[in-house]
Amino acid sequence: MTKRSRWDPVVKLTHWSIAAAVLANAVFTEEGSNAHVWVGYALAAILGLRLLWGLIGPAEARFTAFLPSVRRARAHLREIRAGAPSEHKSHNPLGAVMIYAIWVCLLVIIATGISMVGLPSMAENRGGPVPTASLEYEHREDGEYEDEDHEEGLAGEIHETAADLLYILILLHLAGVLFETRRSGRKVILAMVPGHR
Ligand code: HEM
Ligand code: HEM
């Protein structure tokens, strides 16, 4: 068996910071608060770095190492059914489909989030972002944005739906990671931890 490749530090650090940012915005920050939006901007920057790394990073981190493909995903399912061991230099073909789905979801969440509040350069001196859709969003005293007649705009609806979809994908992602750990006997999770092979 060939030695399992290690993930480089950029892949590892962007993974755990993206996971932390998603957890923060899904559980801890108040929807639409300044904290939520700043965590969102940070998330956008980290994802940007990871996507850039997909072009210029080491072989295993590149998009070309794990392009999503239905054919390869099916072949991988057949391997699983046959109980055949499989080695992949990068993410396995099912993981690859999942990862692109997560990235698309994150990009939709970021795009709709930014379309609601604008870019960081548009932030007010008081340290908070300004809603660009000021006709739709009223700036409240407590630093949150709320729709004037409590109706969500289209961007808000899409933002929320994409977030719900993301939560489902993350559950599937965790199930996939656990499944692959049991199936392969490899320390799949440790391989993502900084300092481990
Ligand atoms: C993965 C990261 C994120 C998650 C999981 C997330 C999740 C959510 C959820 C569940 C809501 C409530 C939706 C609603 O009821 O309308 C919300 C609202 C909001 N989010 Fe995010 N969000 C994320 C990233 C962002 C980003 C990147 C921005 C902006 C840069 C942003 C800006 C907002 C704003 C302004 C609202 C209020 C919208 C409204 O009242 O309709 N979010 N977010
Ligand atoms: C909000 C939560 C999470 C999100 C959005 C997320 C997303 C991702 C993404 C996008 C990748 C691809 C990494 C890359 O190439 O850049 C990945 C890989 C991975 N994630 Fe997560 N992840 C989350 C939570 C977790 C957790 C909690 C664990 C561990 C229990 C985990 C374990 C892994 C592992 C082991 C891989 C590498 C899979 C492989 O060997 O091919 N993830 N995740």
Side-chain angles (χ1 to χ4, degrees):
M1 239 199 248
T2 52
K3 199 170 116 273
R4 173 78 185 166
S5 63
R6 261 179 293 175
W7 299 114
D8 65 81
V10 173
V11 168
K12 290 176 175 181
L13 290 175
T14 53
H15 177 263
W16 295 113
S17 4
I18 288 171
V22 170
L23 181 72
N25 269 4
V27 180
F28 296 112
T29 64
E30 196 164 330
E31 295 158 1
S33 63
N34 280 336
H36 183 92
V37 171
W38 283 111
V39 168
Y41 291 148
L43 169 72
I46 302 159
L47 182 62
L49 171 62
R50 174 59 185 102
L51 296 182
L52 179 67
W53 207 235
L55 296 174
I56 64 168
E60 298 79 21
R62 293 206 186 190
F63 301 130
T64 46
F66 61 103
L67 286 174
S69 145
V70 174
R71 189 180 54 76
R72 279 198 292 268
R74 281 205 177 147
H76 184 60
L77 274 176
R78 280 196 295 275
E79 282 174 358
I80 292 175
R81 262 191 247 118
S86 45
E87 280 288 321
H88 301 276
K89 272 207 147 117
S90 185
H91 303 295
N92 76 49
L94 283 177
V97 172
M98 173 57 69
I99 289 161
Y100 283 93
I102 290 178
W103 282 341
V104 168
C105 246
L106 287 175
L107 289 172
V108 169
I109 291 172
I110 290 166
T112 50
I114 289 177
S115 86
M116 289 188 278
V117 295
L119 293 166
S121 57
M122 297 153 99
E124 260 176 329
N125 290 338
R126 63 175 185 79
V130 194
T132 40
S134 45
L135 289 178
E136 257 179 276
Y137 290 94
E138 200 184 351
H139 191 180
R140 293 198 328 218
E141 286 285 289
D142 55 6
E144 285 173 36
Y145 307 110
E146 198 177 39
D147 215 304
E148 267 177 340
D149 36 21
H150 296 277
E151 254 178 50
E152 283 166 20
L154 180 61
E157 290 279 8
I158 299 174
H159 191 77
E160 191 178 12
T161 308
D164 287 342
L165 186 59
L166 179 67
Y167 304 152
I168 296 170
L169 293 179
I170 289 168
L171 291 180
L172 290 173
H173 169 52
L174 297 182
V177 166
L178 293 181
F179 178 81
E180 186 56 18
T181 303
R182 292 193 62 173
R183 188 179 95 87
S184 69
R186 280 187 287 107
K187 297 190 171 70
V188 178
I189 299 175
L190 273 186
M192 258 289 167
V193 175
H196 282 271
R197 283 176 159 255

